[in-house]
Amino acid sequence: MNGLQIVWFKRDLRPADHLPLLEASRHGALLPLYVVEPDYWQQPDSSARQWLFCRESLLELRSALARLGQPLVVRVGVVEQVLERARRQFGIGGLWSHQETGNGWTYARDLRVAAWARQHAIRWHEIPQFGVSRRLAQRQGWARRWEERMAEPIAPAPLRLEPLAGLDPGAIPSAEELALVPDPCPGRQLGGRPQGLALLESFLDRRSRAYQSGLSSPNTAFASCSRLSPHLSWGTLSLREVVQGNRQRRQLLTAVSWRRALQRFDERLHWHCHFIQKLESQPSLEFQELHPLTAGLREREGPGSDERLAAWAAGRTGLPFVDACMRALIATGWLNFRMRAMLVSVASYQLWLPWRDSGLHLARLFVDYEPGIHWSQCQMQSGTTGINTIRIYNPIKQGVDHDPDGLFIRRWLPELAAVPAVFLHQPWMMDGATQERLGWALGADYPQPIVDWASAAATARERLWALRHQQGFAATAAAIQQRHGSRRSGLRASSRPSGSRSTGGMYSGIDQLGLDLG
């Protein structure tokens, strides 16, 4: 290869286990490049909290690459225009990057970059980053290929990068310079590979002991979950090194319960790619219902839809446990999987909101937003896949089960401080005399429930099951299952037959079928 090799960093902000960087370094001088794309950061699923995590990771990556000889070069603009300037200035011998399964905007951008590379006879080397397979015809054998990918040796960082004299590394803009909407998130996790490595070490060495018992309750999940999800989403850690580190640690343990906890975590690492594969195979699921007969099911109808969305998004539904979860997410950028699923369920069923509307709000709040996982889960939890059991969360039972003493509610809803524990999960059960004696008033200090959640859930359930019994629904669901369903031996199938009801309660199987990488 003649000319400069360009390594285009995307959501893979690390020097280690980065095959494009290692392979490109074997062909001479290379330019490690990250392009800040203002249009991307104005998309409705992007946010300042995500950019701040990314920016911290870029600053750390620049330092790491500088220690190898050539710092990260950052440019702001349209990728193909940045690449064209590099082609005219240096000549390009090859373009290297990881494959990306991003949102619809990045998919369209990659198509433009591919067209630009073909136009100038530049080979674009796209190397898989996860266990996701591009141009996958069917799922048979997918789990075996995933295992093979995860077992590959971890690629070392290059020993040295040849410095490019006179090249300005470029400024990494602030959120204000990108004109991002102010997004206070005081409890946000910090970006950068050292932060990710420290979390991985603390999880495998200590915190994972309580993983299985602590992942469901928001009182324990913030400590007992790995908290690696933003580092996997932004690529400061590779999935391969997490999988291998987890398995090596498990082999060293003698405590059966601890080994079992790490096995559960290993299964969720598998599900990480299982869900991303759905978006890779069918990019339209970000925008369109997977089962066509569910299309338009929750189009905004009647008065109050916008108000219900706004109340849910602000943590002001009048359902204390739901509101506490939303406010914790707003403040920290993270929430454990069960509570994420509950927020989507309440929005979709009790509030009857379109899954795209609620999904976009959550996408902006999640620092660890991973489009493939996020949109697959939004559809799964809202009942639009056609292949997953309908799970309508009971928000009161969830609170009683996972926050029985109301610690989480009291932390995030200080306006309920005066409410006795017996009424904390259902403050509307207090009579007026009790409220007056406490100097507290429902509707003034805290909102009345914006819907009758029990009757709304019953209505939603009947509407969904009636739809599933329509002619042609089951045949289409079977085709969807064939295309997207799991084939992994030993894991429970991702759905029951589309015409059967779950016997395990409103939320059976969530943690087994979902993803909890927190």
Side-chain angles (χ1 to χ4, degrees):
M1 300 182 190
N2 297 318
L4 188 68
Q5 306 300 309
I6 292 186
V7 179
W8 177 21
F9 286 87
K10 298 162 89 175
R11 292 173 73 102
D12 50 359
L13 306 181
R14 61 182 185 272
D17 204 26
H18 197 296
L19 271 177
L21 178 65
L22 182 63
E23 291 297 325
S25 71
R26 293 169 175 163
H27 296 282
L30 67 83
L31 188 159
L33 175 69
Y34 184 87
V35 181
V36 181
E37 302 163 275
D39 285 351
Y40 170 83
W41 291 103
Q42 294 301 321
Q43 295 303 302
D45 53 350
S46 297
S47 63
R49 63 183 61 193
Q50 296 167 3
W51 167 246
L52 292 174
F53 187 97
C54 177
R55 186 176 189 275
E56 290 158 357
S57 301
L58 290 171
L59 289 167
E60 193 281 322
L61 177 62
R62 169 172 282 178
S63 297
L65 294 178
R67 291 192 292 272
L68 298 178
Q70 171 57 51
L72 179 71
V73 173
V74 174
R75 295 292 183 263
V76 179
V78 178
V79 172
E80 55 267 37
Q81 294 176 1
V82 173
L83 293 173
E84 177 61 17
R85 289 195 295 271
R87 185 186 71 84
R88 293 180 180 181
Q89 183 175 356
F90 304 108
I92 297 178
L95 176 63
W96 301 77
S97 76
H98 277 118
Q99 291 177 356
E100 180 181 9
T101 304
N103 63 8
W105 190 93
T106 65
Y107 178 60
R109 174 255 277 147
D110 281 359
L111 292 177
R112 296 196 308 271
V113 171
W116 171 86
R118 287 193 301 271
Q119 177 186 353
H120 297 290
I122 294 171
R123 185 177 177 187
W124 182 8
H125 307 264
E126 286 189 280
I127 298 175
Q129 176 174 209
F130 297 140
V132 174
S133 299
R134 187 156 285 184
R135 289 176 286 276
L136 183 69
Q138 50 87 26
R139 280 287 187 120
Q140 199 65 36
W142 183 88
R144 173 183 51 77
R145 290 191 293 273
W146 184 88
E147 289 288 350
E148 292 171 352
R149 192 86 54 81
M150 293 302 105
E152 293 173 358
I154 293 175
L159 294 176
R160 184 178 182 277
L161 298 179
E162 182 179 333
L164 300 173
L167 184 62
D168 179 11
I172 303 177
S174 66
E176 292 76 16
E177 289 169 329
L178 286 176
L180 299 183
V181 175
D183 184 21
C185 188
R188 177 181 60 82
Q189 290 179 252
L190 299 178
R193 181 168 173 80
Q195 296 281 344
L197 290 172
L199 281 171
L200 179 60
E201 180 181 7
S202 69
F203 178 70
L204 295 180
D205 287 354
R206 303 183 305 279
R207 294 185 293 113
S208 57
R209 179 186 285 272
Y211 175 72
Q212 193 167 3
S213 61
L215 62 85
S216 292
S217 170
N219 284 308
T220 53
F222 280 80
S224 60
C225 287
S226 76
R227 307 301 304 276
L228 295 173
S229 51
H231 294 279
L232 290 172
S233 294
W234 290 100
T236 60
L237 299 177
S238 78
L239 184 66
R240 183 182 295 107
E241 62 186 331
V242 174
V243 170
Q244 292 187 16
N246 182 62
R247 292 177 176 181
Q248 290 165 7
R249 175 60 172 156
R250 185 168 178 264
Q251 291 300 315
L252 295 174
L253 294 172
T254 57
V256 174
S257 61
W258 200 343
R259 287 171 57 88
R260 188 180 299 118
L262 289 184
Q263 177 61 33
R264 297 291 85 76
F265 182 65
D266 189 275
E267 292 171 1
R268 285 164 175 82
L269 294 171
H270 171 97
W271 286 111
H272 168 279
C273 298
H274 167 75
F275 284 109
I276 297 176
Q277 184 69 60
K278 294 174 186 281
L279 184 63
E280 175 66 38
S281 299
Q282 190 169 339
S284 63
L285 73 79
E286 178 186 350
F287 306 102
Q288 298 174 3
E289 291 80 357
L290 197 57
H291 197 299
L293 287 183
T294 67
L297 180 65
R298 297 181 179 91
E299 292 297 334
R300 295 187 180 183
E301 53 184 52
S305 178
D306 289 341
E307 290 78 6
R308 293 195 304 276
L309 177 62
W312 172 84
R316 298 282 297 171
T317 66
L319 301 171
F321 193 56
V322 173
D323 292 343
C325 287
M326 181 62 78
R327 293 196 206 175
L329 175 57
I330 292 170
T332 68
W334 185 87
L335 200 61
N336 59 320
F337 173 77
R338 180 179 284 271
M339 300 304 97
R340 296 185 189 210
M342 183 191 68
L343 287 178
V344 176
S345 176
V346 170
S348 300
Y349 298 112
Q350 283 90 343
L351 304 183
W352 204 248
L353 296 171
W355 60 272
R356 273 284 296 175
D357 290 358
S358 57
L360 284 171
H361 177 73
L362 292 176
R364 292 189 293 271
L365 293 181
F366 292 147
V367 175
D368 59 6
Y369 170 54
E370 179 68 62
I373 296 173
H374 181 75
W375 293 114
S376 295
Q377 284 291 334
C378 283
Q379 292 221 34
M380 175 176 166
Q381 302 303 338
S382 64
T384 59
T385 67
I387 63 174
N388 299 104
T389 299
I390 297 170
R391 299 182 182 90
I392 301 178
Y393 276 55
N394 177 332
I396 309 306
K397 187 178 189 304
Q398 289 294 305
V400 172
D401 286 350
H402 300 295
D403 188 30
D405 298 322
L407 300 177
F408 188 75
I409 290 176
R410 293 191 190 279
R411 177 181 178 185
W412 295 105
L413 303 181
E415 63 268 41
L416 297 184
V419 175
V422 68
F423 296 119
L424 191 59
H425 293 278
Q426 302 181 79
W428 55 88
M429 300 296 290
M430 280 193 297
D431 59 31
T434 302
Q435 294 183 39
E436 185 176 356
R437 187 166 58 251
L438 294 172
W440 184 91
L442 185 67
D445 294 290
Y446 182 70
Q448 294 269 6
I450 61 174
V451 295
D452 180 337
W453 64 269
S455 63
T459 299
R461 185 183 302 109
E462 293 307 314
R463 293 177 76 168
L464 264 293
W465 281 111
L467 184 65
R468 288 195 170 202
H469 284 101
Q470 286 186 11
Q471 185 176 3
F473 191 100
T476 303
I480 295 169
Q481 175 68 25
Q482 181 62 30
R483 182 175 187 181
H484 292 294
S486 172
R487 304 291 191 276
R488 186 179 185 187
S489 176
L491 284 182
R492 185 162 53 175
S494 62
S495 72
R496 300 172 187 264
S498 63
S500 66
R501 293 178 184 258
S502 168
T503 59
M506 284 186 175
Y507 52 91
S508 63
I510 277 289
D511 287 326
Q512 288 79 8
L513 296 176
L515 176 74
D516 198 332
L517 285 181

